Coordinates of all heavy atoms in Angstrom, one line a residue:
M1 N 3.2 -0.5 37.7 CA 3.7 0.0 36.4 C 4.2 1.4 36.6 O 3.5 2.2 37.2 CB 2.6 0.0 35.3 CG 3.1 0.6 34.0 SD 1.8 0.6 32.8 CE 1.6 -1.1 32.5
E2 N 5.5 1.7 36.2 CA 6.0 3.0 36.4 C 5.6 3.9 35.2 O 5.6 3.4 34.0 CB 7.5 2.9 36.4 CG 8.2 4.2 36.6 CD 9.7 4.0 36.6 OE1 10.2 3.0 37.0 OE2 10.4 5.0 36.3
H3 N 5.2 5.1 35.4 CA 4.8 6.0 34.4 C 5.9 7.1 34.3 O 6.3 7.7 35.3 CB 3.5 6.7 34.7 CG 2.4 5.6 34.8 ND1 1.9 5.0 33.7 CD2 1.7 5.2 35.9 CE1 1.0 4.1 34.1 NE2 0.9 4.2 35.4
V4 N 6.4 7.4 33.1 CA 7.4 8.3 32.9 C 6.9 9.5 32.0 O 6.3 9.2 31.0 CB 8.7 7.7 32.2 CG1 9.7 8.7 32.0 CG2 9.2 6.5 33.1
L5 N 7.1 10.7 32.4 CA 6.8 11.9 31.6 C 8.0 12.3 30.9 O 9.0 12.6 31.5 CB 6.3 13.0 32.5 CG 6.1 14.4 31.8 CD1 5.1 14.3 30.7 CD2 5.7 15.4 32.9
R6 N 8.0 12.3 29.5 CA 9.1 12.8 28.8 C 8.6 14.0 28.0 O 7.6 13.9 27.2 CB 9.6 11.7 27.8 CG 10.2 10.5 28.5 CD 10.8 9.5 27.7 NE 10.1 9.5 26.4 CZ 10.5 8.6 25.4 NH1 11.5 7.9 25.6 NH2 9.9 8.6 24.3
V7 N 9.3 15.1 28.1 CA 9.0 16.3 27.3 C 10.0 16.6 26.4 O 11.2 16.7 26.7 CB 8.8 17.5 28.3 CG1 8.5 18.8 27.6 CG2 7.7 17.2 29.3
S8 N 9.6 16.7 25.0 CA 10.7 16.9 24.0 C 10.7 18.3 23.4 O 11.5 18.6 22.6 CB 10.4 15.9 22.9 OG 9.2 16.1 22.2
S9 N 9.8 19.2 23.9 CA 9.8 20.5 23.3 C 9.0 21.5 24.2 O 8.2 21.1 25.0 CB 9.3 20.6 21.9 OG 7.9 20.4 22.0
L10 N 9.3 22.8 24.1 CA 8.6 23.8 24.9 C 7.1 23.8 24.5 O 6.3 24.1 25.4 CB 9.3 25.1 24.8 CG 10.6 25.3 25.4 CD1 11.2 26.6 25.1 CD2 10.6 25.1 26.9
F11 N 6.8 23.5 23.3 CA 5.4 23.5 22.9 C 4.6 22.6 23.7 O 3.5 23.0 24.2 CB 5.4 23.0 21.4 CG 4.0 22.9 20.9 CD1 3.2 24.0 20.5 CD2 3.4 21.6 20.8 CE1 1.9 23.8 20.0 CE2 2.1 21.4 20.3 CZ 1.4 22.6 19.9
I12 N 5.1 21.4 24.1 CA 4.4 20.5 24.9 C 4.1 21.0 26.3 O 3.1 20.9 26.9 CB 5.1 19.1 25.0 CG1 5.2 18.5 23.6 CG2 4.5 18.2 26.0 CD1 6.1 17.4 23.5
I13 N 5.2 21.7 26.9 CA 5.0 22.2 28.2 C 3.8 23.3 28.2 O 2.9 23.3 29.1 CB 6.3 22.9 28.7 CG1 7.3 21.8 28.9 CG2 6.0 23.7 30.0 CD1 8.7 22.3 29.2
G14 N 3.8 24.1 27.2 CA 2.7 25.1 27.1 C 1.3 24.5 27.0 O 0.4 24.9 27.7
C15 N 1.2 23.4 26.3 CA -0.1 22.7 26.1 C -0.5 22.1 27.4 O -1.7 22.1 27.8 CB 0.0 21.7 25.0 SG 0.1 22.4 23.4
I16 N 0.4 21.4 28.1 CA 0.1 20.8 29.4 C -0.5 21.8 30.4 O -1.5 21.6 31.0 CB 1.3 20.0 29.9 CG1 1.6 18.8 29.0 CG2 1.0 19.5 31.4 CD1 2.9 18.2 29.4
L17 N 0.2 22.9 30.5 CA -0.2 23.9 31.5 C -1.5 24.6 31.1 O -2.4 24.9 32.0 CB 0.8 25.0 31.6 CG 2.2 24.6 32.1 CD1 3.2 25.7 32.1 CD2 2.0 24.1 33.6
L18 N -1.9 24.7 29.8 CA -3.0 25.4 29.3 C -4.3 24.5 29.0 O -5.4 24.9 29.1 CB -2.7 26.3 28.2 CG -1.7 27.3 28.4 CD1 -1.3 28.1 27.1 CD2 -2.2 28.3 29.5
A19 N -4.0 23.3 28.5 CA -5.1 22.6 27.8 C -5.3 21.1 28.2 O -6.2 20.5 27.8 CB -4.9 22.7 26.3
A20 N -4.5 20.6 29.1 CA -4.6 19.1 29.4 C -5.9 18.9 30.1 O -6.3 19.7 31.0 CB -3.4 18.7 30.2
P21 N -6.5 17.8 29.8 CA -7.8 17.5 30.5 C -7.6 17.3 32.0 O -6.6 16.8 32.4 CB -8.2 16.2 29.9 CG -7.4 16.1 28.6 CD -6.2 16.9 28.8
A22 N -8.6 17.7 32.7 CA -8.5 17.6 34.2 C -8.3 16.1 34.7 O -7.8 15.9 35.8 CB -9.7 18.2 34.9
R23 N -8.8 15.2 33.9 CA -8.7 13.8 34.4 C -7.5 13.0 33.8 O -7.4 11.9 33.7 CB -10.0 13.1 33.9 CG -10.2 13.0 32.5 CD -11.6 12.4 32.2 NE -11.8 12.0 30.8 CZ -12.1 12.8 29.9 NH1 -12.3 14.1 30.1 NH2 -12.2 12.4 28.6
A24 N -6.5 13.8 33.4 CA -5.3 13.3 32.8 C -4.6 12.4 33.8 O -4.4 12.9 35.0 CB -4.4 14.4 32.3
Q25 N -4.0 11.3 33.5 CA -3.2 10.4 34.3 C -1.8 10.3 33.9 O -0.9 10.2 34.7 CB -3.8 9.1 34.5 CG -5.2 9.1 35.3 CD -5.6 7.7 35.6 OE1 -5.5 6.8 34.8 NE2 -6.2 7.6 36.8
V26 N -1.6 10.1 32.6 CA -0.2 9.9 32.0 C -0.1 10.8 30.8 O -0.9 10.9 30.0 CB 0.0 8.4 31.6 CG1 1.3 8.2 31.0 CG2 -0.2 7.5 32.8
L27 N 1.1 11.5 30.7 CA 1.4 12.4 29.6 C 2.6 11.8 28.8 O 3.5 11.2 29.4 CB 1.7 13.7 30.1 CG 0.7 14.4 30.9 CD1 1.3 15.6 31.6 CD2 -0.4 14.9 30.0
A28 N 2.5 12.0 27.5 CA 3.6 11.5 26.6 C 3.8 12.6 25.5 O 2.8 13.1 25.0 CB 3.4 10.2 25.9
G29 N 5.1 12.9 25.2 CA 5.3 13.9 24.2 C 6.1 13.4 23.0 O 7.1 12.7 23.2
G30 N 5.6 13.8 21.8 CA 6.3 13.4 20.6 C 6.9 14.7 20.0 O 7.2 15.7 20.8
E31 N 7.2 14.7 18.7 CA 7.8 15.9 18.1 C 6.7 16.9 17.7 O 6.0 16.7 16.8 CB 8.6 15.5 16.8 CG 9.3 16.6 16.1 CD 10.5 17.2 16.9 OE1 11.0 16.4 17.9 OE2 10.9 18.2 16.6
F32 N 6.5 17.9 18.6 CA 5.5 18.9 18.4 C 4.0 18.4 18.6 O 3.1 19.0 18.0 CB 5.6 19.6 17.0 CG 7.0 20.2 16.8 CD1 7.8 19.7 15.8 CD2 7.4 21.2 17.6 CE1 9.1 20.3 15.6 CE2 8.6 21.8 17.4 CZ 9.5 21.3 16.4
Y33 N 3.8 17.3 19.3 CA 2.5 16.9 19.6 C 2.5 16.2 21.0 O 3.6 15.8 21.4 CB 1.9 16.0 18.5 CG 2.4 14.6 18.5 CD1 1.7 13.5 19.1 CD2 3.6 14.3 18.0 CE1 2.2 12.3 19.1 CE2 4.2 13.0 17.9 CZ 3.5 12.0 18.5 OH 3.9 10.7 18.5
S34 N 1.4 16.1 21.7 CA 1.3 15.5 22.9 C 0.2 14.5 23.0 O -0.8 14.7 22.4 CB 1.2 16.6 24.0 OG 2.2 17.5 24.0
L35 N 0.3 13.5 23.9 CA -0.8 12.6 24.3 C -1.1 12.6 25.8 O -0.1 12.9 26.5 CB -0.4 11.2 23.9 CG 0.0 10.9 22.4 CD1 0.4 9.4 22.3 CD2 -1.2 11.2 21.5
V36 N -2.2 12.3 26.1 CA -2.6 12.2 27.5 C -3.6 11.0 27.6 O -4.5 10.8 26.8 CB -3.3 13.4 28.1 CG1 -4.6 13.8 27.4 CG2 -3.5 13.3 29.6
R37 N -3.2 10.0 28.6 CA -4.1 8.9 28.9 C -5.0 9.4 30.0 O -4.5 9.9 31.1 CB -3.4 7.7 29.3 CG -4.3 6.5 29.5 CD -3.6 5.2 29.9 NE -2.8 5.3 31.1 CZ -3.3 5.2 32.4 NH1 -4.6 5.0 32.6 NH2 -2.5 5.3 33.4
C38 N -6.3 9.3 29.9 CA -7.2 9.7 30.9 C -7.7 8.6 31.7 O -7.5 7.4 31.5 CB -8.4 10.4 30.1 SG -8.0 11.7 29.0
S39 N -8.3 9.0 32.9 CA -8.7 8.0 33.9 C -9.8 7.1 33.4 O -9.9 6.0 33.9 CB -9.2 8.8 35.1 OG -10.3 9.7 34.8
D40 N -10.5 7.5 32.3 CA -11.5 6.5 31.8 C -10.9 5.5 30.7 O -11.7 4.8 30.1 CB -12.7 7.4 31.1 CG -12.2 8.2 30.0 OD1 -11.0 8.2 29.6 OD2 -13.0 8.9 29.4
G41 N -9.6 5.5 30.6 CA -8.9 4.6 29.6 C -8.9 5.2 28.2 O -8.4 4.5 27.3
G42 N -9.4 6.4 28.0 CA -9.3 7.0 26.6 C -8.0 7.7 26.5 O -7.3 7.9 27.5
V43 N -7.7 8.2 25.3 CA -6.5 8.9 25.0 C -6.9 10.2 24.3 O -7.8 10.2 23.4 CB -5.5 8.2 24.1 CG1 -4.4 9.0 23.7 CG2 -5.1 6.9 24.9
Q44 N -6.3 11.3 24.6 CA -6.5 12.6 23.9 C -5.2 13.1 23.4 O -4.1 12.8 24.0 CB -7.2 13.6 24.8 CG -8.6 13.2 25.2 CD -9.3 14.4 25.9 OE1 -9.0 15.5 25.7 NE2 -10.4 14.0 26.7
A45 N -5.2 13.8 22.3 CA -4.0 14.3 21.6 C -4.2 15.7 21.1 O -5.3 16.1 20.8 CB -3.6 13.4 20.4
W46 N -3.1 16.4 21.0 CA -3.1 17.8 20.5 C -1.7 18.1 20.0 O -0.7 17.5 20.4 CB -3.6 18.8 21.5 CG -2.7 19.0 22.7 CD1 -1.8 20.0 22.9 CD2 -2.7 18.2 23.9 NE1 -1.2 19.9 24.1 CE2 -1.7 18.8 24.8 CE3 -3.3 17.0 24.3 CZ2 -1.4 18.3 26.0 CZ3 -3.0 16.5 25.6 CH2 -2.0 17.2 26.4
G47 N -1.7 19.1 19.1 CA -0.4 19.6 18.5 C -0.4 19.5 17.0 O -1.4 19.5 16.3
Y48 N 0.8 19.4 16.5 CA 1.0 19.3 15.0 C 0.5 17.9 14.5 O 0.7 16.9 15.2 CB 2.5 19.4 14.8 CG 3.0 19.5 13.4 CD1 2.7 20.6 12.6 CD2 3.8 18.5 12.8 CE1 3.1 20.6 11.3 CE2 4.2 18.5 11.5 CZ 3.9 19.6 10.7 OH 4.3 19.7 9.5
D49 N -0.1 17.9 13.3 CA -0.7 16.6 12.8 C -0.5 16.4 11.4 O -1.3 15.7 10.8 CB -2.2 16.7 13.2 CG -2.9 15.3 13.0 OD1 -2.2 14.3 13.3 OD2 -4.0 15.3 12.7
L50 N 0.6 16.8 10.8 CA 0.7 16.6 9.3 C 0.7 15.2 8.9 O 0.2 14.9 7.8 CB 2.0 17.3 8.9 CG 2.3 17.2 7.4 CD1 1.2 18.0 6.6 CD2 3.7 17.8 7.1
Y51 N 1.2 14.3 9.7 CA 1.3 12.9 9.4 C 0.2 12.0 10.1 O 0.4 10.7 10.2 CB 2.7 12.3 9.6 CG 3.7 13.1 8.9 CD1 4.5 14.0 9.5 CD2 3.9 12.9 7.5 CE1 5.5 14.8 8.8 CE2 4.8 13.7 6.8 CZ 5.6 14.6 7.5 OH 6.5 15.3 6.8
G52 N -0.7 12.6 10.7 CA -1.8 11.8 11.4 C -1.4 11.4 12.8 O -2.0 10.5 13.3
Q53 N -0.5 12.1 13.4 CA 0.0 11.6 14.7 C -1.1 11.7 15.8 O -1.0 11.0 16.7 CB 1.1 12.6 15.2 CG 2.4 12.6 14.3 CD 2.3 13.8 13.4 OE1 1.4 14.0 12.6 NE2 3.3 14.7 13.5
L54 N -2.1 12.6 15.6 CA -3.1 12.7 16.6 C -4.2 11.7 16.6 O -4.9 11.5 17.6 CB -3.8 14.2 16.5 CG -2.8 15.3 16.6 CD1 -3.6 16.6 16.5 CD2 -1.9 15.2 17.8
G55 N -4.2 10.9 15.6 CA -5.2 9.8 15.5 C -6.7 10.2 15.5 O -7.5 9.5 15.9
N56 N -6.9 11.4 15.0 CA -8.3 11.9 15.0 C -8.9 11.8 13.6 O -10.0 12.4 13.4 CB -8.4 13.3 15.5 CG -7.6 14.3 14.7 OD1 -7.1 14.0 13.6 ND2 -7.4 15.5 15.3
G57 N -8.3 11.1 12.6 CA -8.8 11.0 11.3 C -8.6 12.2 10.3 O -9.1 12.2 9.3
S58 N -7.9 13.2 10.8 CA -7.5 14.3 9.9 C -6.0 14.6 10.0 O -5.3 13.8 10.7 CB -8.3 15.5 10.4 OG -7.6 16.1 11.5
N59 N -5.6 15.5 9.3 CA -4.2 16.0 9.3 C -4.2 17.5 9.7 O -3.3 18.2 9.3 CB -3.5 15.8 8.0 CG -3.4 14.3 7.6 OD1 -4.2 13.8 6.9 ND2 -2.4 13.7 8.2
N60 N -5.1 17.9 10.5 CA -5.2 19.2 11.0 C -4.7 19.4 12.4 O -5.1 18.6 13.3 CB -6.7 19.8 11.0 CG -7.2 19.7 9.6 OD1 -6.6 20.0 8.6 ND2 -8.5 19.3 9.5
E61 N -3.8 20.3 12.6 CA -3.3 20.5 14.0 C -4.4 20.9 15.0 O -5.4 21.5 14.5 CB -2.2 21.5 14.0 CG -2.5 22.9 13.7 CD -1.3 23.8 13.6 OE1 -0.4 23.6 12.9 OE2 -1.4 24.8 14.4
S62 N -4.2 20.6 16.2 CA -5.2 21.0 17.2 C -4.4 21.7 18.4 O -3.4 21.2 18.8 CB -5.9 19.8 17.7 OG -6.7 20.1 18.8
H63 N -5.0 22.8 18.9 CA -4.4 23.5 20.0 C -5.0 23.1 21.3 O -4.7 23.6 22.4 CB -4.5 25.0 19.8 CG -3.8 25.4 18.6 ND1 -2.4 25.6 18.5 CD2 -4.3 25.7 17.3 CE1 -2.1 25.9 17.3 NE2 -3.2 26.1 16.6
V64 N -6.0 22.2 21.3 CA -6.7 21.7 22.5 C -6.8 20.1 22.4 O -6.8 19.6 21.3 CB -8.1 22.3 22.7 CG1 -8.0 23.8 22.9 CG2 -9.0 21.9 21.6
P65 N -6.7 19.4 23.5 CA -6.8 18.0 23.5 C -8.1 17.5 22.8 O -9.2 18.0 23.0 CB -6.8 17.5 24.9 CG -6.2 18.7 25.6 CD -6.6 19.9 24.9
E66 N -8.0 16.5 21.9 CA -9.1 15.9 21.2 C -9.0 14.4 21.3 O -7.9 13.8 21.4 CB -9.1 16.2 19.7 CG -9.3 17.7 19.4 CD -9.3 17.9 17.8 OE1 -9.1 17.0 17.1 OE2 -9.5 19.1 17.5
P67 N -10.2 13.7 21.5 CA -10.1 12.3 21.6 C -9.5 11.6 20.4 O -9.7 11.9 19.3 CB -11.6 11.9 21.8 CG -12.3 13.1 22.1 CD -11.5 14.2 21.5
V68 N -8.7 10.5 20.7 CA -8.2 9.7 19.7 C -9.3 8.7 19.3 O -9.8 8.0 20.2 CB -6.9 8.9 20.1 CG1 -6.5 8.0 19.1 CG2 -5.8 9.9 20.5
N69 N -9.6 8.6 18.0 CA -10.7 7.8 17.5 C -10.7 6.3 17.9 O -9.6 5.7 17.7 CB -10.9 7.9 16.0 CG -11.2 9.3 15.5 OD1 -11.7 10.1 16.3 ND2 -10.9 9.6 14.3
S70 N -11.7 5.8 18.4 CA -11.9 4.4 18.7 C -10.8 3.7 19.6 O -10.6 2.6 19.4 CB -11.9 3.6 17.3 OG -12.9 4.1 16.5
L71 N -10.3 4.5 20.5 CA -9.2 4.0 21.4 C -9.7 4.1 22.8 O -9.8 5.1 23.4 CB -8.0 4.7 21.2 CG -6.7 4.1 21.7 CD1 -6.4 2.7 21.2 CD2 -5.5 5.0 21.4
T72 N -10.0 2.9 23.4 CA -10.5 2.8 24.8 C -9.7 1.7 25.5 O -9.1 0.9 24.9 CB -12.0 2.4 24.8 OG1 -12.2 1.2 24.1 CG2 -12.9 3.5 24.1
G73 N -9.9 1.7 26.8 CA -9.2 0.7 27.6 C -7.7 0.7 27.6 O -7.0 -0.3 27.7
V74 N -7.1 1.9 27.4 CA -5.7 2.1 27.3 C -5.1 2.1 28.7 O -5.6 2.8 29.6 CB -5.3 3.4 26.5 CG1 -3.9 3.7 26.6 CG2 -5.9 3.3 25.1
I75 N -4.0 1.4 28.8 CA -3.3 1.3 30.2 C -1.9 1.9 30.0 O -1.3 2.2 31.1 CB -3.2 -0.1 30.7 CG1 -2.5 -1.1 29.8 CG2 -4.6 -0.6 31.0 CD1 -2.2 -2.5 30.3
A76 N -1.4 2.1 28.8 CA 0.0 2.7 28.7 C 0.0 3.4 27.3 O -0.6 3.0 26.3 CB 1.1 1.7 28.8
I77 N 0.8 4.5 27.2 CA 1.0 5.2 26.0 C 2.5 5.6 25.8 O 3.2 5.7 26.7 CB 0.1 6.5 25.9 CG1 0.5 7.5 27.1 CG2 -1.3 6.3 25.8 CD1 -0.2 8.8 27.0
S78 N 2.8 5.8 24.5 CA 4.2 6.2 24.2 C 4.1 7.1 23.0 O 3.4 6.8 22.0 CB 5.0 5.0 23.9 OG 6.3 5.4 23.4
A79 N 4.8 8.2 23.0 CA 4.9 9.1 21.8 C 6.3 9.3 21.4 O 7.2 9.5 22.3 CB 4.2 10.4 22.2
E80 N 6.6 9.1 20.2 CA 8.0 9.3 19.7 C 8.0 10.4 18.7 O 7.1 11.2 18.6 CB 8.5 8.0 19.1 CG 8.6 6.9 20.2 CD 9.5 7.2 21.3 OE1 10.5 7.9 21.1 OE2 9.2 6.7 22.5
Y81 N 9.0 10.5 17.8 CA 9.1 11.6 16.8 C 7.9 11.8 16.0 O 7.3 12.8 16.2 CB 10.3 11.2 15.9 CG 10.5 12.3 14.9 CD1 11.0 13.6 15.2 CD2 10.4 12.0 13.5 CE1 11.2 14.5 14.3 CE2 10.6 13.0 12.5 CZ 11.0 14.2 12.9 OH 11.3 15.2 12.0
L82 N 7.4 10.9 15.2 CA 6.2 11.0 14.4 C 5.2 9.9 14.5 O 4.3 9.7 13.7 CB 6.6 11.2 13.0 CG 7.3 12.5 12.6 CD1 7.7 12.5 11.1 CD2 6.5 13.8 12.9
H83 N 5.3 9.1 15.6 CA 4.4 8.0 15.8 C 4.1 7.8 17.2 O 4.8 8.3 18.1 CB 4.9 6.7 15.2 CG 6.1 6.1 15.9 ND1 7.4 6.6 15.8 CD2 6.1 5.1 16.9 CE1 8.1 5.9 16.6 NE2 7.4 5.0 17.3
S84 N 2.9 7.2 17.5 CA 2.5 6.9 18.9 C 2.0 5.5 19.0 O 1.7 4.8 18.0 CB 1.3 7.8 19.2 OG 1.6 9.2 18.9
M85 N 2.1 5.0 20.2 CA 1.7 3.6 20.5 C 0.8 3.6 21.7 O 1.1 4.4 22.7 CB 2.9 2.7 20.6 CG 3.7 2.6 19.4 SD 5.2 1.6 19.5 CE 4.5 0.0 19.7
A86 N -0.1 2.7 21.8 CA -1.0 2.5 23.0 C -1.1 1.1 23.3 O -1.4 0.3 22.4 CB -2.3 3.2 22.8
L87 N -1.0 0.7 24.6 CA -1.3 -0.6 25.0 C -2.6 -0.7 25.7 O -2.9 0.1 26.6 CB -0.2 -1.1 26.0 CG -0.4 -2.4 26.7 CD1 -0.3 -3.6 25.7 CD2 0.6 -2.6 27.8
R88 N -3.5 -1.5 25.2 CA -4.8 -1.6 25.7 C -4.9 -2.7 26.8 O -4.1 -3.6 26.9 CB -5.9 -1.9 24.6 CG -6.0 -0.7 23.7 CD -7.0 -1.0 22.6 NE -8.3 -1.3 23.1 CZ -9.3 -1.7 22.4 NH1 -9.2 -1.7 21.1 NH2 -10.5 -2.0 22.9
D89 N -6.0 -2.7 27.6 CA -6.2 -3.7 28.6 C -6.4 -5.1 28.2 O -6.4 -6.1 28.9 CB -7.3 -3.3 29.6 CG -8.6 -3.0 29.0 OD1 -8.8 -3.3 27.8 OD2 -9.5 -2.4 29.7
D90 N -6.7 -5.3 26.9 CA -6.8 -6.6 26.3 C -5.5 -7.1 25.6 O -5.5 -8.1 24.9 CB -7.9 -6.6 25.1 CG -7.6 -5.7 24.0 OD1 -6.5 -5.1 23.9 OD2 -8.4 -5.7 23.1
S91 N -4.3 -6.5 26.0 CA -3.0 -6.8 25.5 C -2.7 -6.5 24.1 O -1.7 -6.9 23.6 CB -2.7 -8.3 25.9 OG -2.8 -8.5 27.2
T92 N -3.6 -5.8 23.4 CA -3.3 -5.4 22.0 C -2.5 -4.0 22.1 O -2.7 -3.2 22.9 CB -4.6 -5.2 21.2 OG1 -5.4 -4.2 21.8 CG2 -5.3 -6.6 21.0
V93 N -1.7 -3.9 21.0 CA -0.9 -2.7 20.9 C -1.4 -2.0 19.7 O -1.5 -2.6 18.5 CB 0.6 -3.0 20.7 CG1 1.4 -1.7 20.5 CG2 1.1 -3.7 22.0
W94 N -1.7 -0.7 19.8 CA -2.2 0.1 18.7 C -1.1 1.2 18.3 O -0.5 1.7 19.2 CB -3.5 0.8 19.0 CG -4.6 -0.2 19.2 CD1 -4.7 -1.2 20.1 CD2 -5.9 -0.1 18.5 NE1 -5.9 -1.8 19.9 CE2 -6.6 -1.2 19.0 CE3 -6.4 0.7 17.5 CZ2 -7.9 -1.5 18.5 CZ3 -7.6 0.4 17.1 CH2 -8.4 -0.6 17.5
A95 N -0.9 1.4 17.1 CA 0.1 2.4 16.6 C -0.5 3.3 15.6 O -1.5 3.0 14.9 CB 1.3 1.7 16.1

């Protein structure tokens, strides 16, 4: 599987350099927020969260990566303008 890093703003670059988890494997950037798929199959997110893009159950922005609630076994992630998607190892897609 090919993994592609897409960066859509300078905000994302700053977060990756300063706050990405050490076990990060795949990065994805949306509009003012970022996702990282970790080696344990979990996903962490940070950035702007007015519409719940971070998946942490709140609408509060985060300047450091936080786990996405109840999302495990992830093999691929995608982040777009204001939404995100994750493909799990059981072939389900979460958005």
Side-chain angles (χ1 to χ4, degrees):
M1 175 181 295
E2 181 179 333
H3 300 290
V4 177
L5 170 62
R6 295 186 328 179
V7 177
S8 65
S9 71
L10 292 176
F11 175 77
I12 294 168
I13 293 171
C15 288
I16 290 169
L17 293 174
L18 298 175
R23 63 186 193 279
Q25 290 190 324
V26 178
L27 300 165
E31 184 69 17
F32 303 114
Y33 74 102
S34 303
L35 301 176
V36 60
R37 183 179 61 83
C38 302
S39 57
D40 62 3
V43 175
Q44 294 191 23
W46 66 99
Y48 186 69
D49 192 32
L50 183 62
Y51 302 103
Q53 303 94 302
L54 302 186
N56 60 12
S58 78
N59 293 96
N60 300 320
E61 66 183 58
S62 174
H63 299 283
V64 297
E66 294 183 0
V68 175
N69 294 339
S70 305
L71 195 55
T72 59
V74 174
I75 59 174
I77 56 174
S78 173
E80 298 299 330
Y81 180 65
L82 293 177
H83 70 281
S84 306
M85 298 173 69
L87 173 64
R88 292 179 57 184
D89 55 10
D90 62 1
S91 298
T92 59
V93 175
W94 292 59

